Amino acid sequence: RKEVEQDPGPFNVPEGATVAFNCTYSNSASQSFFWYRQDCRKEPKLLMSVYSSGNEDGRFTAQLNRASQYISLLIRDSKLSDSATYLCVGRDSSYKLIFGSGTRLLVRP
Amino acid sequence: EAGVTQFPSHSVIEKGQTVTLRCDPISGHDNLYWYRRVMGKEIKFLLHFVKESKQDESGMPNNRFLAERTGGTYSTLKVQPAELEDSGVYFCASSHEGTFRVEQFFGPGTRLTVL
């Protein structure tokens, strides 16, 4: 079983839609969690950290459920510029990042 | 402030040749990480430096890969001899601290193609 698993998508949604991505993780990847965004042929960039209490940053909301080992990212009012691959990332006890394979989002006009 | 830089951006070499990738972390960042993404797979950790010391090299695939960070500034990753399966994108990242919550900033990557 992979340490961090995501649905690869693609998710194809119209502008203005709300879309949610889910991710599950194993015990080895469970010290802390992040969502990174990666544009085509670019480097990953941190979108937001994921806190146990859940956290929100503008149109983006991240949730963590430690009991189910499940992380989610909700994007409200999707913009064309949100089209990218969203990487669910865990961190293990040695600080290295453990990446999921990414979920591709396409926002259409 | 300059971000993480990597050189070259692309490298195409033949099987059996040697390639050296370079990473310049953000100034003042003691922690430097190498990751790579091979075709169709997720990004995977290779190793972690704290200053000039290798903190964790558990992700290095085999002894054809050699990473150095002399002086604790920039780092090099040498592949010798390169094999076809080494093709992929090699990312470098740096952070100020090596703690769980601190962001790792990624460089643009080096796209390596081994023919």
Side-chain angles (χ1 to χ4, degrees):
Chain A
R1 183 192 166 191
K2 288 184 179 179
E3 293 174 280
V4 177
E5 293 206 61
Q6 296 181 251
D7 179 345
F11 285 63
N12 191 324
V13 303
E15 264 187 297
T18 296
V19 62
F21 306 137
N22 303 318
C23 164
T24 56
Y25 65 90
S26 67
N27 288 336
S28 61
S30 61
Q31 287 296 332
S32 53
F33 306 94
F34 310 88
W35 283 100
Y36 274 74
R37 170 192 168 128
Q38 187 173 26
D39 292 289
C40 189
R41 293 184 169 260
K42 298 285 188 180
E43 71 272 23
K45 290 186 177 177
L46 181 66
L47 178 66
M48 58 196 304
S49 299
V50 185
Y51 300 112
S52 297
S53 54
N55 48 299
E56 187 174 307
D57 183 2
R59 299 182 293 110
F60 299 85
T61 300
Q63 297 277 355
L64 167 62
N65 183 325
R66 284 197 180 269
S68 303
Q69 295 187 269
Y70 171 98
I71 301 159
S72 66
L73 176 68
L74 184 78
I75 305 175
R76 289 181 298 279
D77 188 23
S78 300
K79 311 290 184 192
L80 296 177
S81 57
D82 293 335
S83 296
T85 296
Y86 290 83
L87 303 168
C88 179
V89 185
R91 199 163 199 171
D92 75 358
S93 56
S94 67
Y95 309 128
K96 65 177 178 267
L97 297 180
I98 300 170
F99 287 81
S101 54
T103 298
R104 194 164 164 224
L105 172 65
L106 303 171
V107 181
R108 63 182 188 270
Chain B
E1 181 183 293
V4 177
T5 58
Q6 293 186 244
F7 182 83
S9 56
H10 293 81
S11 180
V12 180
I13 61 172
E14 293 191 350
K15 177 182 170 180
Q17 289 186 320
T18 297
V19 64
T20 300
L21 313 181
R22 173 173 168 143
C23 168
D24 286 78
I26 291 171
S27 178
H29 281 192
D30 288 338
N31 291 271
L32 187 150
Y33 306 81
W34 284 98
Y35 295 86
R36 76 171 178 179
R37 184 173 206 157
V38 297
M39 181 75 77
K41 302 279 190 180
E42 64 274 16
I43 297 171
K44 287 205 165 178
F45 168 82
L46 296 178
L47 87 160
H48 171 202
F49 282 101
V50 178
K51 296 184 180 177
E52 66 275 10
S53 299
K54 291 176 186 173
Q55 183 79 8
D56 179 357
E57 52 184 328
S58 61
M60 294 288 262
N62 51 61
N63 59 10
R64 295 185 294 103
F65 288 75
L66 175 64
E68 294 181 322
R69 194 183 181 196
T70 307
T73 53
Y74 71 90
S75 174
T76 58
L77 179 64
K78 182 193 288 189
V79 185
Q80 179 182 31
E83 298 289 344
L84 299 179
E85 65 264 24
D86 301 332
S87 295
V89 182
Y90 289 76
F91 291 105
C92 176
S94 72
S95 69
H96 180 56
E97 297 173 5
T99 57
F100 296 122
R101 281 274 164 229
V102 171
E103 179 180 355
Q104 292 183 18
F105 296 86
F106 281 77
T110 293
R111 187 171 295 274
L112 175 64
T113 303
V114 183
L115 303 175

